[in-house]
């Protein structure tokens, strides 16, 4: 039986474990530096920076979705950015990913968001096929951009 519930501060260790499993699947485990304390501080303080849902199959943690608010100047409304959607290998094929995504969509709808956005690795064809089957639109002319580490610090110094 599937149960989807909001994550709590007590889930920080579980979230860290699931994030690590996702990173291993994405071949990016070398990039994971998050700690349980980071998760407690940023997700469960008075002004949380993210929200998360935990999927449990027969009371066993099966996956999670982690998301946060964004704002669209074109739409003049907030949206949600789905940072992570992950289902453990042994639980795939049971509709858990779709149910997690449906819960995020319901939150977006209830909060009058313009929509939900996320990214997918270009080699992850099963995920691409899944998202297309839901009617998700790929924003091919747009490119994901990230500025971090020393280039971020260098640019930030120009603001002083």
């Amino acid at each position: 039986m599937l149960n989807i519930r909001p994550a709590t501060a007590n889930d920080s260790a579980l979230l860290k474990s699931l994030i690590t499993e996702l990173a291993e699947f994405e071949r990016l485990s070398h990039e994971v530096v998050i700690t349980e304390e980071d998760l407690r501080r940023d997700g469960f303080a008075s002004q949380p920076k993210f929200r998360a849902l935990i999927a449990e199959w027969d009371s066993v943690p099966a996956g999670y979705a982690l998301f946060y608010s964004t704002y669209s100047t074109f739409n003049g409304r907030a949206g949600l950015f789905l940072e992570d959607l992950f289902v453990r290998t042994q639980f795939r094929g049971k509709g858990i990913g779709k149910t997690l995504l449906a819960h995020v969509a319901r939150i977006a709808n209830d909060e009058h968001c313009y929509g939900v956005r996320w990214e997918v690795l270009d080699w992850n064809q099963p995920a691409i096929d899944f998202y297309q089957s839901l009617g998700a639109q790929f924003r091919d002319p747009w490119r994901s951009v990230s500025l971090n580490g020393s280039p971020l610090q260098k640019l930030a110094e120009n603001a002083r």
Side-chain angles (χ1 to χ4, degrees):
M1 201 71 192
L2 179 61
N3 179 49
I4 307 291
R5 64 173 177 80
T8 68
N10 292 334
D11 292 312
S12 296
L14 173 60
L15 283 170
K16 183 180 184 307
S17 177
L18 290 166
I19 290 166
T20 301
E21 290 177 44
L22 170 62
E24 289 169 2
F25 172 78
E26 292 183 339
R27 306 172 195 150
L28 297 169
S29 57
H30 60 282
E31 293 186 16
V32 177
V33 296
I34 197 164
T35 66
E36 291 176 35
E37 179 53 38
D38 294 332
L39 289 162
R40 274 191 293 279
R41 177 195 65 227
D42 294 339
F44 307 103
S46 60
Q47 294 184 346
K49 293 177 175 43
F50 69 84
R51 293 180 272 175
L53 300 172
I54 303 290
E56 297 170 327
W57 187 268
D58 291 333
S59 302
V60 177
Y64 77 108
L66 189 143
F67 55 97
Y68 52 88
S69 294
T70 64
Y71 190 80
S72 169
T73 56
F74 287 12
N75 290 291
R77 294 192 305 174
L80 295 180
F81 188 86
L82 180 63
E83 181 69 21
D84 293 345
L85 177 66
F86 177 71
V87 176
R88 288 176 159 160
T89 305
Q90 65 269 34
F91 295 102
R92 293 185 184 153
K94 299 178 183 298
I96 296 170
K98 184 175 182 179
T99 304
L100 277 167
L101 192 52
H103 276 72
V104 173
R106 182 184 317 147
I107 291 167
N109 193 54
D110 290 351
E111 295 178 4
H112 307 288
C113 294
Y114 72 87
V116 180
R117 292 186 62 186
W118 64 92
E119 297 174 346
V120 60
L121 291 165
D122 62 357
W123 57 260
N124 192 348
Q125 196 61 49
I128 292 167
D129 294 343
F130 167 63
Y131 298 141
Q132 287 177 325
S133 77
L134 297 175
Q137 298 174 0
F138 285 78
R139 300 173 55 95
D140 290 333
W142 294 86
R143 304 235 2 232
S144 181
V145 179
S146 177
L147 181 67
N148 48 30
S150 59
L152 173 67
Q153 292 172 345
K154 183 178 179 180
L155 183 60
E157 290 171 5
N158 291 330
R160 294 191 175 131

